Amino acid sequence: MRSDIMKKGVTRLPHRSLLKALGYIDEEINRPIIGVVNSANELIPGHMNLDSITEAVKAGIRMSGGTPQEFSTIGVCDGIAMNHVGMKYSLATREIIADSIEAVSIAQPFDGLVLVTNCDKIIPGMLMAALRLNIPSIIVSGGPMLAGKFKERDIDLSNCFEAVGGYKKGKYSGSDLIEIENEACPTCGSCAGMFTANSMNCLSEAIGLALKGNGTIPAVYSKRLRLAKMAGIKIMELVEKNIRPRDIVNADSVKNALAVDMALGCSTNTILHLPAIANEARVPFSLDLVNEISKNTPNLCRLSPAGNHHVQDLYQAGGVEAVMNELMKNNLINGDSITVTGKRVKENISSAKILNEDVIRRVADPYSKDGGLAILWGNLAPEGCVVKKSAVDPSMLYHKGEARVFDSEEDAMEAILNGKINSGEIVVIRYEGPKGGPGMREMLSPTAAIAGIGLDKEVALITDGRFSGATKGAAIGHISPEAQAGGPICIVQDEDKIEIDIKNNKINLLISDKEMKSRTEKWEPPDIKIKEGYLYRYSRQVTSASRGAILE
């Protein structure tokens, strides 16, 4: 056992004495020791229930003859960090989470790991750590939040952000705002739509590192506790068989995850996290692969913000396994990939059925014949950019307009809320990339404000920052190279014409090559906005969004 290096032999007498100081008896010390990473805190609604999930995991480990050792890691709530300096730290915490788990798991050599998570950066950070360490591991989430109700319709967090713009336009009264505020987020769990957290929890299933149901069983269901208990039981099987994360995550399982991503219409942030996860798995990943998978994979679900369904509806309709079975029956995923169940994908999902074809459509009758995400290229984004195609109104799949340029999210937000953005324009927000932000902030507040004032079918927004999974409309992020690195977005000027052609995967600044060269030669990089602490170090090490914003 891996843990023997800290507990076996005469020289480990001091180590065993310290373990006994924790209350362990010899029998517990001699068993396989399983690290249980608990990211519970009182900051994030998706993590407020994780202590109970962790207790269920530990019960499963003990039932199967293991000794669980719990430790913690950090997490921030993206929604609460939104639209202020705190959002600069959100993506950057992914690396802290992965690094901290790596450090603890080598200093305390566990035989296996169960990673208890739920929200945006914590999930990919934990997946990255598992693959980096490459010891038997399984991930289990706290589950999605239930949707709220407002005037007899389902609502979620995205409606809160859109209500800000709606109030400005007179769509909502003051009392409406209070009701939306009180009802939109009614339970614990990751926010109810197919936003980043739920996207990553579903893709954890698809890539093979989580049990079925991980992405969709609601947080408030007792079935979630039973799932956690099974994760504790399964880790002991993985340890016994020495099935490790890199045995599971390979080129085929990454393609499976991308296919499920396209079918579900997941968050654009998955195109930051999947490359970073693939990097830890030592699997090649390119943005060309994203479009290749998207071209062949139909979009089968329209969950909020792309539609009116929520993750609880996906669960009731058959869950991720039903989506995967539909894809497998049409040769769109590889059923032979191994998973944390110890079985192959086809063995896990072959009995899954679509129970509601309004929520999960058949491949023969999709929402669209291609996937929910698209990568665009052109002289404005030579290394690519990403859009959630399934959440774009058909009228905006092609759009040409004049640029309105802002060098920060705050400046753009002020213009939107004060009626300074006109129909047909393209809002450009730059110097918000991984280096320039620093930290690559999500732009949910500007995109939701545009939707709230009724311009999401008339105004596009492009940025070298990123978007929340709750964003809808012609919102194009991850423009690479970013402005701070001298990418072409740095030379865009007000009233420049920009052409966006999502169907043909193109985005171009309509100026001459001569003018582009002249402007580029005159450009000088601005100072980094934060010059001390973690973000300053992060800005000096982080790579392009096109590479998953990994650190070098």
Side-chain angles (χ1 to χ4, degrees):
M1 292 189 292
R2 186 171 179 266
S3 61
D4 284 352
I5 66 173
M6 69 173 175
K7 68 186 186 184
K8 289 289 187 182
V10 173
T11 60
R12 296 300 182 251
L13 182 153
H15 305 63
R16 291 192 297 275
S17 183
L18 289 167
L19 289 170
K20 288 181 177 179
L22 293 168
Y24 294 124
I25 61 174
D26 287 332
E27 184 179 351
E28 290 175 296
I29 295 170
N30 290 332
R31 291 176 173 182
I33 296 181
I34 309 299
V36 181
V37 192
N38 182 4
S39 55
N41 62 40
E42 296 180 350
L43 309 177
I44 313 172
H47 288 237
M48 63 187 287
N49 66 323
L50 294 191
D51 279 338
S52 61
I53 299 293
T54 299
E55 288 303 316
V57 166
K58 292 192 291 186
I61 292 168
R62 292 189 183 105
M63 287 165 60
S64 299
T67 297
Q69 282 199 300
E70 179 184 337
F71 66 100
S72 61
T73 190
I74 67 165
V76 299
C77 180
D78 277 26
I80 295 172
M82 197 73 65
N83 195 225
H84 60 81
V85 68
M87 180 47 71
K88 294 178 183 289
Y89 285 83
S90 174
L91 179 60
T93 64
R94 186 185 72 181
E95 315 309 315
I96 296 175
I97 291 160
D99 291 350
S100 66
I101 295 169
E102 174 197 353
V104 173
S105 300
I106 292 177
Q108 308 277 133
F110 303 118
D111 297 300
L113 277 178
V114 181
L115 304 116
V116 182
T117 183
N118 213 22
C119 288
D120 293 28
K121 305 313 153 309
I122 301 96
I123 305 161
M126 288 191 172
L127 290 167
M128 289 163 64
L131 286 156
R132 187 184 303 172
L133 289 160
N134 201 33
I135 61 175
S137 301
I138 188 168
I139 194 161
V140 60
S141 81
M145 184 183 290
L146 297 180
K149 286 282 187 183
F150 173 71
K151 295 186 176 178
E152 298 184 354
R153 67 184 177 97
D154 288 347
I155 61 170
D156 56 43
L157 181 67
S158 64
N159 300 103
C160 294
F161 281 92
E162 291 173 14
V164 176
Y167 177 70
K168 289 279 186 178
K169 291 290 289 184
K171 180 179 178 180
Y172 297 118
S173 66
S175 60
D176 286 337
L177 291 190
I178 293 171
E179 186 174 351
I180 291 170
E181 178 181 322
N182 288 336
E183 301 298 332
C185 300
T187 71
C188 62
S190 46
C191 298
M194 189 49 73
F195 312 150
T196 305
N198 290 325
S199 295
M200 292 308 303
N201 277 329
C202 289
L203 297 190
S204 297
E205 282 189 58
I207 210 167
L209 289 175
L211 299 176
K212 63 182 182 180
N214 183 71
T216 59
I217 298 170
V220 294
Y221 283 18
S222 294
K223 191 175 183 180
R224 175 63 57 179
L225 295 174
R226 300 199 297 273
L227 176 76
K229 203 168 289 184
M230 283 304 304
I233 292 169
K234 283 294 178 183
I235 190 61
M236 298 305 296
E237 294 180 18
L238 295 173
V239 169
E240 182 183 355
K241 297 175 181 177
N242 195 29
I243 298 174
R244 295 175 292 173
R246 287 187 218 155
D247 299 325
I248 294 168
V249 179
N250 52 34
D252 287 334
S253 59
V254 169
K255 289 178 182 178
N256 282 355
L258 275 172
V260 173
D261 195 341
M262 298 305 159
L264 290 176
C266 290
S267 165
T268 52
N269 282 316
T270 59
I271 307 304
L272 278 177
H273 300 320
L274 284 176
I277 290 163
N279 177 67
E280 298 289 356
R282 303 175 186 175
V283 173
F285 190 102
S286 73
L287 294 183
D288 293 296
L289 178 64
V290 178
N291 274 355
E292 178 187 324
I293 300 292
S294 181
K295 181 180 179 181
N296 297 315
T297 309
N299 180 221
L300 305 181
C301 303
R302 287 284 165 93
L303 306 175
S304 175
N308 295 322
H309 298 132
H310 290 84
V311 180
Q312 67 202 61
D313 302 308
L314 178 62
Y315 167 69
Q316 298 291 350
V320 174
E321 55 267 35
V323 174
M324 292 183 72
N325 195 26
E326 178 68 9
L327 294 175
M328 187 177 68
K329 288 189 294 187
N330 289 273
N331 299 313
L332 294 171
I333 63 170
N334 185 330
D336 291 323
S337 296
I338 196 74
T339 73
V340 288
T341 64
K343 299 178 181 178
R344 302 191 181 277
V345 168
K346 59 188 177 186
E347 298 175 87
N348 293 336
I349 66 173
S350 59
S351 62
K353 297 178 181 178
I354 296 174
L355 304 176
N356 184 335
E357 293 189 20
D358 289 333
V359 179
I360 305 173
R361 291 196 175 183
R362 302 282 179 183
V363 166
D365 180 34
Y367 281 102
S368 64
K369 292 182 179 181
D370 52 6
L373 299 178
I375 306 297
L376 314 183
W377 282 276
N379 68 1
L380 191 55
E383 294 179 7
C385 56
V386 63
V387 62
K388 189 168 185 173
K389 185 177 178 180
S390 61
V392 179
D393 188 82
S395 66
M396 292 293 286
L397 292 174
Y398 178 87
H399 183 71
K400 185 191 292 185
E402 289 188 354
R404 291 290 307 281
V405 183
F406 303 93
D407 287 347
S408 72
E409 178 189 1
E410 288 84 356
D411 290 347
M413 192 66 178
E414 187 274 334
I416 294 165
L417 291 179
N418 287 289
K420 298 177 183 178
I421 302 300
N422 302 307
S423 177
E425 291 180 333
I426 297 176
V427 175
V428 178
I429 305 177
R430 62 190 178 191
Y431 298 108
E432 292 286 5
K435 290 183 181 293
M440 202 179 187
R441 286 195 286 184
E442 287 186 347
M443 302 289 167
L444 177 56
S445 291
T447 56
I450 287 171
I453 61 177
L455 289 178
D456 56 307
K457 297 178 183 178
E458 302 168 33
V459 170
L461 190 152
I462 68 174
T463 181
D464 55 5
R466 61 194 178 92
F467 296 112
S468 164
T471 289
K472 67 179 180 181
I476 299 162
H478 309 192
I479 297 280
S480 299
E482 62 176 287
Q484 189 72 35
I489 192 173
C490 75
I491 61 162
V492 181
Q493 297 177 0
D494 280 343
E495 300 182 4
D496 281 348
K497 289 283 195 347
I498 295 173
E499 182 180 44
I500 300 167
D501 186 353
I502 296 173
K503 284 186 177 179
N504 292 300
N505 304 101
K506 294 179 181 178
I507 183 167
N508 285 294
L509 177 62
L510 301 181
I511 62 173
S512 68
D513 292 344
K514 181 179 178 181
E515 176 66 13
M516 182 169 278
K517 182 180 179 182
S518 173
R519 291 187 193 179
T520 302
E521 289 172 349
K522 295 175 185 176
W523 174 82
E524 293 184 1
D527 288 342
I528 294 290
K529 295 173 185 175
I530 294 179
K531 298 181 180 180
E532 60 184 9
Y534 174 60
L535 271 189
Y536 179 60
R537 298 195 305 275
Y538 179 87
S539 71
R540 298 176 69 180
Q541 293 181 278
V542 70
T543 62
S544 170
S546 62
R547 295 178 57 194
I550 59 175
L551 298 187
E552 285 188 336

